[in-house]
Tab-separated table of all heavy atoms in Angstrom:
chain	number	residue	atom	x	y	z
R	209	ARG	N	-21.486	122.047	-200.246
R	209	ARG	CA	-22.792	122.649	-199.937
R	209	ARG	C	-23.253	122.246	-198.532
R	209	ARG	O	-23.886	123.039	-197.833
R	209	ARG	CB	-23.815	122.211	-200.987
R	209	ARG	CG	-25.211	122.802	-200.793
R	209	ARG	CD	-25.227	124.300	-201.071
R	209	ARG	NE	-26.534	124.878	-200.844
R	209	ARG	CZ	-27.262	125.483	-201.802
R	209	ARG	NH1	-26.797	125.578	-203.020
R	209	ARG	NH2	-28.439	126.004	-201.517
R	210	ALA	N	-22.932	121.017	-198.120
R	210	ALA	CA	-23.347	120.531	-196.803
R	210	ALA	C	-22.375	121.030	-195.743
R	210	ALA	O	-21.838	120.265	-194.932
R	210	ALA	CB	-23.402	119.011	-196.810
R	211	GLY	N	-22.172	122.326	-195.703
R	211	GLY	CA	-21.139	122.916	-194.866
R	211	GLY	C	-21.366	122.766	-193.380
R	211	GLY	O	-20.410	122.739	-192.603
R	212	LYS	N	-22.613	122.655	-192.946
R	212	LYS	CA	-22.904	122.548	-191.517
R	212	LYS	C	-22.927	121.107	-191.033
R	212	LYS	O	-23.070	120.851	-189.834
R	212	LYS	CB	-24.266	123.193	-191.232
R	212	LYS	CG	-24.347	124.670	-191.581
R	212	LYS	CD	-25.741	125.208	-191.315
R	212	LYS	CE	-25.854	126.677	-191.700
R	212	LYS	NZ	-27.228	127.209	-191.488
R	213	ALA	N	-22.791	120.173	-191.947
R	213	ALA	CA	-22.946	118.759	-191.614
R	213	ALA	C	-21.609	118.079	-191.338
R	213	ALA	O	-20.548	118.533	-191.792
R	213	ALA	CB	-23.650	118.036	-192.766
R	214	HIS	N	-21.682	116.978	-190.604
R	214	HIS	CA	-20.551	116.057	-190.560
R	214	HIS	C	-20.531	115.327	-191.897
R	214	HIS	O	-21.578	114.878	-192.381
R	214	HIS	CB	-20.740	115.050	-189.423
R	214	HIS	CG	-19.620	114.060	-189.315
R	214	HIS	ND1	-18.433	114.338	-188.671
R	214	HIS	CD2	-19.505	112.791	-189.785
R	214	HIS	CE1	-17.633	113.291	-188.740
R	214	HIS	NE2	-18.258	112.328	-189.412
R	215	THR	N	-19.375	115.212	-192.516
R	215	THR	CA	-19.295	114.624	-193.850
R	215	THR	C	-18.402	113.397	-193.827
R	215	THR	O	-17.333	113.406	-193.203
R	215	THR	CB	-18.755	115.638	-194.873
R	215	THR	OG1	-17.455	116.084	-194.474
R	215	THR	CG2	-19.700	116.832	-194.984
R	216	ALA	N	-18.833	112.356	-194.527
R	216	ALA	CA	-18.059	111.115	-194.565
R	216	ALA	C	-18.103	110.526	-195.961
R	216	ALA	O	-19.172	110.481	-196.590
R	216	ALA	CB	-18.594	110.110	-193.545
R	217	GLU	N	-16.946	110.080	-196.418
R	217	GLU	CA	-16.849	109.386	-197.703
R	217	GLU	C	-16.683	107.891	-197.448
R	217	GLU	O	-15.743	107.473	-196.754
R	217	GLU	CB	-15.665	109.914	-198.511
R	217	GLU	CG	-15.458	109.147	-199.820
R	217	GLU	CD	-14.406	109.765	-200.715
R	217	GLU	OE1	-13.201	109.502	-200.489
R	217	GLU	OE2	-14.787	110.533	-201.625
R	218	LEU	N	-17.600	107.096	-198.003
R	218	LEU	CA	-17.542	105.640	-197.910
R	218	LEU	C	-17.338	105.132	-199.326
R	218	LEU	O	-18.252	105.172	-200.145
R	218	LEU	CB	-18.839	105.075	-197.319
R	218	LEU	CG	-19.389	105.760	-196.057
R	218	LEU	CD1	-20.668	105.072	-195.598
R	218	LEU	CD2	-18.359	105.790	-194.944
R	219	ASN	N	-16.135	104.663	-199.607
R	219	ASN	CA	-15.778	104.389	-200.988
R	219	ASN	C	-14.798	103.229	-201.049
R	219	ASN	O	-14.162	102.878	-200.054
R	219	ASN	CB	-15.136	105.633	-201.616
R	219	ASN	CG	-15.668	105.957	-202.998
R	219	ASN	OD1	-16.453	105.206	-203.565
R	219	ASN	ND2	-15.231	107.071	-203.553
R	220	LEU	N	-14.658	102.667	-202.238
R	220	LEU	CA	-13.667	101.610	-202.413
R	220	LEU	C	-12.256	102.172	-202.272
R	220	LEU	O	-11.359	101.522	-201.738
R	220	LEU	CB	-13.854	100.946	-203.784
R	220	LEU	CG	-13.006	99.707	-204.058
R	220	LEU	CD1	-13.327	98.596	-203.053
R	220	LEU	CD2	-13.237	99.219	-205.490
R	221	GLU	N	-12.075	103.400	-202.739
R	221	GLU	CA	-10.790	104.099	-202.650
R	221	GLU	C	-11.073	105.588	-202.613
R	221	GLU	O	-12.190	106.022	-202.911
R	221	GLU	CB	-9.911	103.740	-203.843
R	221	GLU	CG	-10.542	104.058	-205.173
R	221	GLU	CD	-9.759	103.496	-206.340
R	221	GLU	OE1	-8.890	102.636	-206.135
R	221	GLU	OE2	-10.030	103.947	-207.481
R	222	PRO	N	-10.099	106.408	-202.232
R	222	PRO	CA	-10.351	107.856	-202.155
R	222	PRO	C	-10.803	108.428	-203.500
R	222	PRO	O	-10.241	108.103	-204.544
R	222	PRO	CB	-8.989	108.421	-201.746
R	222	PRO	CG	-8.326	107.299	-201.017
R	222	PRO	CD	-8.752	106.049	-201.734
R	223	SER	N	-11.811	109.271	-203.438
R	223	SER	CA	-12.289	109.948	-204.639
R	223	SER	C	-11.430	111.175	-204.911
R	223	SER	O	-10.551	111.525	-204.118
R	223	SER	CB	-13.743	110.380	-204.463
R	223	SER	OG	-13.821	111.478	-203.561
R	224	GLU	N	-11.705	111.842	-205.999
R	224	GLU	CA	-10.960	113.066	-206.311
R	224	GLU	C	-11.233	114.170	-205.294
R	224	GLU	O	-10.427	115.082	-205.136
R	224	GLU	CB	-11.305	113.542	-207.723
R	224	GLU	CG	-10.777	112.632	-208.814
R	224	GLU	CD	-10.883	113.245	-210.194
R	224	GLU	OE1	-11.140	114.463	-210.285
R	224	GLU	OE2	-10.703	112.518	-211.181
R	225	GLY	N	-12.373	114.079	-204.615
R	225	GLY	CA	-12.698	115.094	-203.613
R	225	GLY	C	-12.548	114.604	-202.191
R	225	GLY	O	-13.133	115.182	-201.263
R	226	ALA	N	-11.738	113.576	-201.978
R	226	ALA	CA	-11.635	112.950	-200.661
R	226	ALA	C	-11.222	113.920	-199.560
R	226	ALA	O	-11.658	113.806	-198.414
R	226	ALA	CB	-10.656	111.778	-200.724
R	227	THR	N	-10.382	114.883	-199.878
R	227	THR	CA	-9.868	115.790	-198.849
R	227	THR	C	-10.929	116.743	-198.312
R	227	THR	O	-10.706	117.391	-197.283
R	227	THR	CB	-8.689	116.612	-199.403
R	227	THR	OG1	-9.110	117.332	-200.568
R	227	THR	CG2	-7.523	115.703	-199.771
R	228	PHE	N	-12.073	116.831	-198.974
R	228	PHE	CA	-13.128	117.721	-198.506
R	228	PHE	C	-13.959	117.106	-197.383
R	228	PHE	O	-14.760	117.803	-196.753
R	228	PHE	CB	-14.049	118.109	-199.660
R	228	PHE	CG	-13.379	118.941	-200.723
R	228	PHE	CD1	-13.092	118.393	-201.958
R	228	PHE	CD2	-13.032	120.261	-200.485
R	228	PHE	CE1	-12.473	119.142	-202.939
R	228	PHE	CE2	-12.409	121.024	-201.458
R	228	PHE	CZ	-12.129	120.457	-202.692
R	229	PHE	N	-13.790	115.802	-197.134
R	229	PHE	CA	-14.602	115.113	-196.143
R	229	PHE	C	-13.904	115.076	-194.787
R	229	PHE	O	-12.680	114.943	-194.691
R	229	PHE	CB	-14.896	113.681	-196.599
R	229	PHE	CG	-15.829	113.610	-197.779
R	229	PHE	CD1	-15.332	113.697	-199.072
R	229	PHE	CD2	-17.190	113.476	-197.599
R	229	PHE	CE1	-16.177	113.647	-200.174
R	229	PHE	CE2	-18.054	113.425	-198.691
R	229	PHE	CZ	-17.551	113.510	-199.975
R	230	VAL	N	-14.697	115.168	-193.741
R	230	VAL	CA	-14.173	115.100	-192.379
R	230	VAL	C	-13.732	113.675	-192.048
R	230	VAL	O	-12.737	113.460	-191.347
R	230	VAL	CB	-15.247	115.577	-191.376
R	230	VAL	CG1	-14.791	115.356	-189.941
R	230	VAL	CG2	-15.597	117.036	-191.620
R	231	GLU	N	-14.453	112.702	-192.554
R	231	GLU	CA	-14.222	111.300	-192.208
R	231	GLU	C	-14.205	110.472	-193.489
R	231	GLU	O	-14.875	110.800	-194.467
R	231	GLU	CB	-15.344	110.826	-191.275
R	231	GLU	CG	-15.197	109.421	-190.763
R	231	GLU	CD	-16.343	109.002	-189.845
R	231	GLU	OE1	-17.324	109.775	-189.729
R	231	GLU	OE2	-16.262	107.910	-189.270
R	232	SER	N	-13.467	109.380	-193.476
R	232	SER	CA	-13.435	108.500	-194.633
R	232	SER	C	-13.332	107.044	-194.187
R	232	SER	O	-12.671	106.731	-193.187
R	232	SER	CB	-12.264	108.844	-195.549
R	232	SER	OG	-11.035	108.743	-194.848
R	233	CYS	N	-13.988	106.169	-194.936
R	233	CYS	CA	-13.932	104.727	-194.703
R	233	CYS	C	-13.817	104.068	-196.066
R	233	CYS	O	-14.690	104.283	-196.930
R	233	CYS	CB	-15.178	104.223	-193.989
R	233	CYS	SG	-15.519	104.998	-192.396
R	234	TYR	N	-12.775	103.257	-196.270
R	234	TYR	CA	-12.539	102.688	-197.589
R	234	TYR	C	-12.592	101.164	-197.563
R	234	TYR	O	-12.067	100.525	-196.651
R	234	TYR	CB	-11.202	103.169	-198.139
R	234	TYR	CG	-11.164	104.674	-198.302
R	234	TYR	CD1	-10.250	105.448	-197.613
R	234	TYR	CD2	-12.094	105.315	-199.125
R	234	TYR	CE1	-10.237	106.825	-197.746
R	234	TYR	CE2	-12.084	106.691	-199.268
R	234	TYR	CZ	-11.162	107.445	-198.579
R	234	TYR	OH	-11.167	108.810	-198.713
R	235	GLY	N	-13.248	100.639	-198.584
R	235	GLY	CA	-13.410	99.199	-198.730
R	235	GLY	C	-14.663	98.923	-199.530
R	235	GLY	O	-15.348	99.848	-199.991
R	236	PRO	N	-15.006	97.645	-199.739
R	236	PRO	CA	-16.229	97.312	-200.485
R	236	PRO	C	-17.462	97.919	-199.824
R	236	PRO	O	-17.570	97.941	-198.588
R	236	PRO	CB	-16.266	95.777	-200.428
R	236	PRO	CG	-14.848	95.369	-200.162
R	236	PRO	CD	-14.262	96.454	-199.299
R	237	ALA	N	-18.387	98.404	-200.637
R	237	ALA	CA	-19.585	99.062	-200.098
R	237	ALA	C	-20.362	98.151	-199.167
R	237	ALA	O	-20.902	98.603	-198.149
R	237	ALA	CB	-20.474	99.538	-201.251
R	238	THR	N	-20.433	96.876	-199.487
R	238	THR	CA	-21.204	95.954	-198.652
R	238	THR	C	-20.658	95.880	-197.227
R	238	THR	O	-21.415	95.600	-196.293
R	238	THR	CB	-21.213	94.547	-199.270
R	238	THR	OG1	-19.868	94.148	-199.574
R	238	THR	CG2	-22.036	94.508	-200.547
R	239	LYS	N	-19.377	96.171	-197.076
R	239	LYS	CA	-18.782	96.133	-195.734
R	239	LYS	C	-18.791	97.493	-195.066
R	239	LYS	O	-19.248	97.637	-193.931
R	239	LYS	CB	-17.350	95.589	-195.823
R	239	LYS	CG	-17.272	94.128	-196.248
R	239	LYS	CD	-15.840	93.623	-196.239
R	239	LYS	CE	-15.782	92.148	-196.621
R	239	LYS	NZ	-14.383	91.620	-196.613
R	240	VAL	N	-18.286	98.517	-195.755
R	240	VAL	CA	-18.122	99.810	-195.087
R	240	VAL	C	-19.463	100.501	-194.845
R	240	VAL	O	-19.657	101.146	-193.815
R	240	VAL	CB	-17.156	100.732	-195.856
R	240	VAL	CG1	-15.765	100.126	-195.897
R	240	VAL	CG2	-17.654	101.046	-197.247
R	241	VAL	N	-20.407	100.372	-195.769
R	241	VAL	CA	-21.708	101.014	-195.572
R	241	VAL	C	-22.480	100.332	-194.456
R	241	VAL	O	-23.070	100.986	-193.586
R	241	VAL	CB	-22.526	101.010	-196.883
R	241	VAL	CG1	-23.925	101.564	-196.636
R	241	VAL	CG2	-21.807	101.820	-197.952
R	242	THR	N	-22.469	99.011	-194.452
R	242	THR	CA	-23.167	98.266	-193.399
R	242	THR	C	-22.612	98.630	-192.027
R	242	THR	O	-23.376	98.889	-191.088
R	242	THR	CB	-23.035	96.755	-193.642
R	242	THR	OG1	-23.579	96.437	-194.916
R	242	THR	CG2	-23.778	95.974	-192.576
R	243	ALA	N	-21.297	98.672	-191.910
R	243	ALA	CA	-20.683	98.991	-190.621
R	243	ALA	C	-20.982	100.425	-190.201
R	243	ALA	O	-21.260	100.697	-189.014
R	243	ALA	CB	-19.169	98.764	-190.698
R	244	TYR	N	-20.940	101.353	-191.145
R	244	TYR	CA	-21.172	102.747	-190.805
R	244	TYR	C	-22.625	102.975	-190.373
R	244	TYR	O	-22.879	103.710	-189.412
R	244	TYR	CB	-20.826	103.653	-191.984
R	244	TYR	CG	-20.592	105.093	-191.573
R	244	TYR	CD1	-19.324	105.522	-191.207
R	244	TYR	CD2	-21.643	105.999	-191.523
R	244	TYR	CE1	-19.099	106.839	-190.806
R	244	TYR	CE2	-21.436	107.314	-191.125
R	244	TYR	CZ	-20.163	107.728	-190.778
R	244	TYR	OH	-19.961	109.019	-190.354
R	245	VAL	N	-23.561	102.343	-191.071
R	245	VAL	CA	-24.969	102.471	-190.678
R	245	VAL	C	-25.192	101.929	-189.291
R	245	VAL	O	-25.890	102.544	-188.457
R	245	VAL	CB	-25.874	101.760	-191.696
R	245	VAL	CG1	-27.284	101.588	-191.148
R	245	VAL	CG2	-25.918	102.546	-193.015
R	246	GLU	N	-24.601	100.797	-188.974
R	246	GLU	CA	-24.763	100.228	-187.624
R	246	GLU	C	-24.205	101.184	-186.574
R	246	GLU	O	-24.790	101.359	-185.505
R	246	GLU	CB	-24.075	98.880	-187.542
R	246	GLU	CG	-24.745	97.781	-188.376
R	246	GLU	CD	-26.177	97.514	-187.937
R	246	GLU	OE1	-26.508	97.687	-186.731
R	246	GLU	OE2	-26.997	97.149	-188.819
R	247	LYS	N	-23.075	101.818	-186.898
R	247	LYS	CA	-22.486	102.789	-185.954
R	247	LYS	C	-23.407	103.972	-185.734
R	247	LYS	O	-23.639	104.402	-184.594
R	247	LYS	CB	-21.124	103.263	-186.463
R	247	LYS	CG	-20.428	104.228	-185.526
R	247	LYS	CD	-19.186	104.854	-186.137
R	247	LYS	CE	-19.525	105.987	-187.096
R	247	LYS	NZ	-18.321	106.793	-187.459
R	248	VAL	N	-23.947	104.509	-186.830
R	248	VAL	CA	-24.824	105.681	-186.725
R	248	VAL	C	-26.075	105.339	-185.926
R	248	VAL	O	-26.505	106.121	-185.069
R	248	VAL	CB	-25.190	106.193	-188.143
R	248	VAL	CG1	-26.320	107.210	-188.060
R	248	VAL	CG2	-23.980	106.817	-188.811
């Protein structure tokens, strides 16, 4: 649905829909989410 947006999956491991995302970052949420927010 978010077709016009940049899409990123931040997950412990790839989800069943991982291929639909433009970007992916895998690891514990406390690490990958914190790092991604700082980047944004």
Side-chain angles (χ1 to χ4, degrees):
R209 181 69 182 241
K212 299 178 182 178
H214 180 82
T215 59
E217 176 173 82
L218 313 180
N219 226 354
L220 187 61
E221 58 189 15
S223 72
E224 291 191 13
T227 57
F228 294 108
F229 291 86
V230 173
E231 184 180 8
S232 58
C233 302
Y234 299 119
T238 51
K239 294 183 178 180
V240 297
V241 175
T242 301
Y244 199 89
V245 166
E246 291 299 330
K247 182 189 79 167
V248 168

